[in-house]
Amino acid sequence: MKFTRLADEQREFFDRNGYLVVRNALDADMLPRVTAACDRIAEQHAQKHGGNGSRRTSLDNVLPQDDVFLSLLTWETTVPLVVQLLSYDIHLAKSHLIYNYPDPPDIDPPPNWHRDFWESPFDLGPHRYPRLMIKVAYQLTDTSPLSGNTMLAPGSNNYTRHLEIPDGQKDPDGAVELEMQAGDAFLFESRTFHRIGVNRTDKPRKCLMMGYCYAWISPLDYDVQSESLLDRVTDPIARQLVGGHKHPSTIVDAWALREWAEQHGVKRSSDIEYERLTATT
């Protein structure tokens, strides 16, 4: 995997706001390939379910359905940033295709502000809820306000309380809906409150999310990937990210990403935070 260094200002922005925009994350060759694969999967789903008129297509664990998604496992513009913001001891927890179709003008979907890992803030308490996962949201269509993009509450990753929404409002103060171009991506962490925005345009908003979490956390949309998938993954880092070392029939280095990190001088985010704290005491 090619190394892309996370700038200090990017780390500071992510730590402060809980998200980070990566422009032109998918290049002119990759964008149409990913979009074509997602369109095919969404169309097959619609045909299978009779085009049920749903305003949203939401499909989990799409990774095995097209080899182009395997390339995204170690995509150089985004995944190195995830490693630097989280850890080298990670795996892919979720591959999620989302098509948010236009909402009829007479329908105003209720907001569903939430953090990922739904029960963690309640089991652990919002005052000690750690960063557990980072999602990479690849935008396959242009987004503008009211185009159905994910809305974010900047800074909510640092809340030690539950999200507060003023009376008479649907969204917290300061909420943003990012304006992006097809091929852009944004990273956001599991503690960042977010929701799907309303789509008042005449086009679907198309997005593919790849979520990476610590390897000791169970995946969110699969148990163990099939051996047929592993047969298609030859890169050692990619094999680590799909849990290749958990298959008894395979021999694979469980720490390929650690070797990559050591080669490029990458520390775990927890180590960086610990060094920062101890330097001031």
Side-chain angles (χ1 to χ4, degrees):
M1 178 169 66
K2 183 178 178 180
F3 179 61
T4 300
R5 182 173 298 281
L6 179 76
D8 290 342
E9 56 267 27
Q10 289 178 305
R11 180 183 297 279
E12 293 169 1
F13 185 92
F14 189 86
D15 288 345
R16 183 172 65 253
N17 294 285
Y19 74 94
L20 179 69
V21 173
V22 179
R23 300 294 182 187
N24 301 309
L26 300 178
D27 58 31
D29 174 67
M30 194 61 165
L31 175 60
R33 293 175 57 203
V34 173
T35 304
C38 291
D39 285 347
R40 175 182 57 79
I41 294 169
E43 179 61 26
Q44 289 175 346
H45 175 78
Q47 292 178 358
K48 181 177 179 180
H49 295 276
N52 56 17
S54 172
R55 298 193 307 275
R56 188 173 182 229
T57 295
S58 178
L59 304 177
D60 291 329
N61 194 29
V62 297
L63 179 73
Q65 298 193 44
D66 199 288
D67 283 354
V68 71
F69 301 144
L70 302 182
S71 299
L72 291 178
L73 283 169
T74 56
W75 197 243
E76 65 185 50
T77 60
T78 54
V79 181
L81 305 183
V82 173
V83 177
Q84 292 168 80
L85 288 167
L86 197 58
S87 172
Y88 48 72
D89 185 20
I90 59 174
H91 64 174
L92 185 78
K94 192 175 187 67
S95 52
H96 189 188
L97 183 154
I98 302 174
Y99 278 26
N100 197 15
Y101 299 101
D103 291 298
D106 58 337
I107 293 180
D108 191 14
N112 179 27
W113 284 99
H114 65 282
R115 283 169 158 171
D116 290 325
F117 290 97
W118 283 75
E119 294 302 322
S120 298
F122 302 99
D123 290 340
L124 302 176
H127 57 295
R128 53 188 176 199
Y129 177 39
R131 179 186 298 170
L132 297 176
M133 179 172 66
I134 294 177
K135 285 181 178 177
V136 182
Y138 296 100
Q139 302 298 295
L140 308 181
T141 51
D142 296 347
T143 63
S144 57
L146 300 179
S147 63
N149 198 6
T150 301
M151 295 192 67
L152 304 167
S156 59
N157 56 309
N158 293 312
Y159 284 180
T160 56
R161 54 177 171 79
H162 296 297
L163 185 69
E164 297 176 357
I165 299 178
D167 291 341
Q169 295 183 196
K170 293 174 56 177
D171 303 315
D173 292 336
V176 297
E177 182 177 0
L178 302 176
E179 295 190 43
M180 311 186 75
Q181 301 293 313
D184 291 344
F186 65 94
L187 283 60
F188 68 104
E189 62 149 293
S190 50
R191 297 178 298 179
T192 304
F193 279 95
H194 58 284
R195 77 168 178 94
I196 293 293
V198 65
N199 188 349
R200 297 302 187 199
T201 72
D202 59 356
K203 298 177 181 179
R205 173 255 183 164
K206 303 177 181 181
C207 175
L208 176 67
M209 291 192 182
M210 305 279 279
Y212 300 83
C213 71
Y214 294 112
W216 41 267
I217 296 176
S218 297
L220 300 182
D221 59 11
Y222 67 94
D223 293 321
V224 178
Q225 294 288 9
S226 67
E227 291 188 33
S228 62
L229 174 68
L230 288 174
D231 289 340
R232 293 152 52 196
V233 180
T234 57
D235 178 79
I237 292 177
R239 287 176 70 86
Q240 173 187 328
L241 292 173
V242 295
H245 59 287
K246 297 180 180 179
H247 282 263
S249 62
T250 63
I251 300 176
V252 61
D253 184 3
W255 291 106
L257 199 48
R258 179 170 63 182
E259 294 178 4
W260 176 91
E262 291 174 348
Q263 177 185 352
H264 296 288
V266 172
K267 298 180 181 180
R268 286 187 275 208
S269 183
S270 59
D271 293 333
I272 294 174
E273 181 64 16
Y274 179 77
E275 292 173 357
R276 182 185 305 162
L277 291 172
T278 56
T280 60
T281 58

